[in-house]
Amino acid sequence: MPAAKKTTLQIVLKAINLTAAPFALVQRSLVSLKNAGVAAFAAIGGAITRMGTTLLSLAGPMAAIQSIRLGAAFEEDIAKIGTLGKEARDRLGEFRVELERIAVTSGTPLDDLAEALFNMISAGVSASDAIKTLEEANRLAVAGSANLAQSVFALTKVMSAYGLGVEEARSVSEKLFATQVIGQTTVEEVASNLAKVTSVAAALKVPLDQLATAFGDITKVASNSEEAAVSLRSALVGLQKPSSDLELVMGELGLNIENLFHDGRTLGDVFSLITKKSKELGLPLAKVVGNVRAFVAVATLGQDEGKRFAAALGNFTNATGDLDVSLELLEATTTRTLGRMREFMKVLATRVAAPWMRELNKQLEGTSSNLDEARIRAEIFGLEILKWAKQASPFIDFLT
C-alpha cells in the first residue's frame, strides 16, 4: 500500500511539473493580450484626440471659407440691386444695413429679402420707398406664415392700383391680413388672387375696404379664393360694361359708373338694389348679370338686402388689428427665434468676409499682367506633384 501511495504522489507531482510551463505560457499570453488591448484603446483615444485637435484647427479656416461664401452671395445680391438705376445705386449702403436689420429682427433670410427688394424696385417702387414697403410686406408674410415674394406682389399691386404712397403701406398690409381672416383662407391665397381684381375695382372707385371685404366674404361661399376672385372681377366688369338688361336696371335705379358709391352706398347696397329691381322688372338675375361666373359674387353681395355685406364689412374693420397680434405670436415661436439667430450669425459672417473680399480684389488687380508667370508656376507645381506621385507609387502598390 505505501508503495502504491508513493507512486500516485510521484505521478501527481510529475503532472504538475509538466503542466506548469504551458499554464504559465497561457497566463503570459493573456496578460499580453490585455496589455495589447489597453494599448490599442489608448492608440484609438490618441487618434481621436489628434482628430479633435485637427478638426479644431480646421474650424477657423472652415468658418472663414463659409463667411466668404455668404458674404460673396450677399454682395452679389446687393450689387444686382444697384443695376436698377442711379437712385438704387446711391442707396446700396443703406439697403445693406436695412436688409440686415430686418433679417435679424424678423428671422426672414437675407437672400429672400434682397430678392424681394430687387423685384419691388423692378416693379416700379421708388428706391426711397422700397425699404419701408418691404418691411411692411415682410410683417404681413411673417404674421400670415406666407411667402415673402407673394406678400410683396400683393402689397405693391394694391398700392399701385389705388395710387397709394408708402405711408399707406402698413394700412394696406393690415387690410390684406384682415381679408384672410374674414375669408377664412390664407395670406398666400389672398396675395395670389386679390391682385387679379384690384385694377378694375380701382377704376370703378370701389373703396379698398369694401373690395377686400367682398373678396373675403365671397371666398367663404365659393370653393376657393381663385374662384372668388374670378366671380368678383366678373361682377365688377359687369358694372363697368353692363349688358343691355343690366343697363336697363341701372337706368331705372339712376345708377351709373360715376355715382355707384355716392351717398354712402356700398357694394352690398349696389348689388342689393340691382337684385331687387331685376325682380320688380321680372328679369331673371342670371340674365341681368349676363355672366354666369359673376353670379356667385352678385348673389352673395346682394344677399339679405345688403345686410350680409354690412356685417362682413364690420367684421373686416374689427380684424384690421389682427396682424399685430398674429405677428407677436409668430415671433415668439422657436422657429422664428432660431431664424433670427441664424440671420444674426449670417450678418456677422458677411461682415467678417468684407475685409477678405477687399484684400482679394486688391491681390487680383494685377492678375492679368502676371498671368503668363502664373501659368508657368502652376505647371511647375503640377510637375512636382506628378514627380511625388511616381516616387510614392511602389509604396502605394505595397499598401494595396
Side-chain angles (χ1 to χ4, degrees):
M1 288 294 294
K5 286 182 180 179
K6 185 178 179 181
T7 303
T8 302
L9 179 60
Q10 288 175 339
I11 292 171
V12 171
L13 289 174
K14 187 175 182 180
I16 291 173
N17 290 333
L18 290 172
T19 57
F23 273 113
L25 180 61
V26 170
Q27 188 176 20
R28 286 195 299 272
S29 298
L30 289 173
V31 171
S32 299
L33 184 60
K34 175 186 174 184
N35 292 337
V38 170
F41 278 109
I44 292 171
I48 292 172
T49 302
R50 289 192 297 276
M51 186 184 299
T53 304
T54 303
L55 290 175
L56 285 174
S57 66
L58 288 174
M62 288 172 68
I65 291 169
Q66 178 69 352
S67 296
I68 292 172
R69 187 185 69 80
L70 293 172
F74 188 49
E75 288 292 339
E76 185 175 350
D77 290 338
I78 293 293
K80 191 167 73 168
I81 295 171
T83 65
L84 298 176
K86 185 178 184 302
E87 188 182 7
R89 283 195 298 276
D90 291 343
R91 292 178 177 272
L92 289 184
E94 173 195 343
F95 288 160
R96 180 187 183 116
V97 171
E98 290 299 316
L99 289 176
E100 290 175 342
R101 177 184 62 80
I102 296 171
V104 171
T105 55
S106 70
T108 302
L110 261 177
D111 48 352
D112 288 358
L113 290 166
E115 182 181 1
L117 182 62
F118 177 85
N119 292 335
M120 191 177 289
I121 298 175
S122 296
V125 177
S126 68
S128 58
D129 294 339
I131 288 294
K132 175 62 177 174
T133 308
L134 175 63
E135 190 161 17
E136 295 306 328
N138 187 56
R139 289 177 75 251
L140 175 62
V142 173
S145 301
N147 180 278
L148 176 60
Q150 289 179 318
S151 295
V152 165
F153 175 76
L155 190 60
T156 53
K157 274 286 187 180
V158 171
M159 292 176 66
S160 175
Y162 278 84
L164 302 175
V166 66
E167 66 280 357
E168 297 293 330
R170 174 156 296 193
S171 174
V172 173
S173 65
E174 289 174 344
K175 290 174 181 178
L176 290 171
F177 190 84
T179 304
Q180 68 97 22
V181 172
I182 67 165
Q184 299 173 1
T185 181
T186 65
V187 168
E188 287 195 355
E189 286 294 314
V190 172
S192 299
N193 293 291
L194 182 60
K196 300 172 183 177
V197 192
T198 51
S199 58
V200 63
L204 285 170
K205 298 183 175 58
V206 179
L208 180 56
D209 286 18
Q210 293 189 38
L211 172 65
T213 299
F215 176 79
D217 198 33
I218 296 167
T219 296
K220 289 196 294 187
V221 177
S223 58
N224 55 59
S225 57
E226 184 176 5
E227 287 194 15
V230 170
S231 185
L232 179 56
R233 188 179 190 283
S234 299
L236 295 179
V237 169
L239 294 175
Q240 193 177 42
K241 302 174 182 178
S243 64
S244 56
D245 286 328
L246 182 54
E247 193 170 15
L248 171 63
V249 170
M250 290 176 67
E252 289 284 325
L253 292 167
L255 296 177
N256 58 59
I257 194 172
E258 298 297 330
N259 69 1
L260 285 172
F261 304 104
H262 286 188
D263 303 323
R265 276 193 296 268
T266 67
L267 270 173
D269 295 328
V270 169
F271 285 111
S272 172
L273 290 170
I274 290 173
T275 301
K276 185 176 180 180
K277 182 56 69 174
S278 298
K279 188 175 182 180
E280 290 176 0
L281 295 175
L283 295 172
L285 184 60
K287 187 171 183 294
V288 171
V289 170
N291 186 335
V292 67
R293 292 181 297 180
F295 189 78
V296 171
V298 173
T300 302
L301 297 175
Q303 186 177 324
D304 198 17
E305 297 183 342
K307 292 178 183 177
R308 176 192 173 108
F309 183 78
L313 189 57
N315 293 335
F316 173 85
T317 303
N318 293 333
T320 52
D322 286 3
L323 187 150
D324 287 334
V325 176
S326 179
L327 186 64
E328 186 176 347
L329 290 172
L330 266 295
E331 285 182 337
T333 62
T334 302
T335 300
R336 277 287 153 182
T337 301
L338 292 175
R340 289 197 296 274
M341 185 62 186
R342 177 197 64 224
E343 295 310 309
F344 176 71
M345 298 304 295
K346 192 182 293 184
V347 167
L348 294 185
T350 61
R351 292 299 180 171
V352 167
W356 290 68
M357 291 297 98
R358 287 194 295 269
E359 180 61 26
L360 185 58
N361 279 326
K362 188 187 301 182
Q363 294 296 325
L364 290 174
E365 284 177 359
T367 298
S368 59
S369 59
N370 299 322
L371 185 57
D372 289 338
E373 182 182 348
R375 285 184 182 130
I376 293 171
R377 288 182 179 276
E379 286 193 24
I380 292 173
F381 181 64
L383 289 170
E384 289 293 331
I385 293 175
L386 180 61
K387 179 181 176 182
W388 175 87
K390 287 181 176 180
Q391 289 173 345
S393 180
F395 178 68
I396 294 173
D397 290 342
F398 170 75
L399 291 178
T400 56

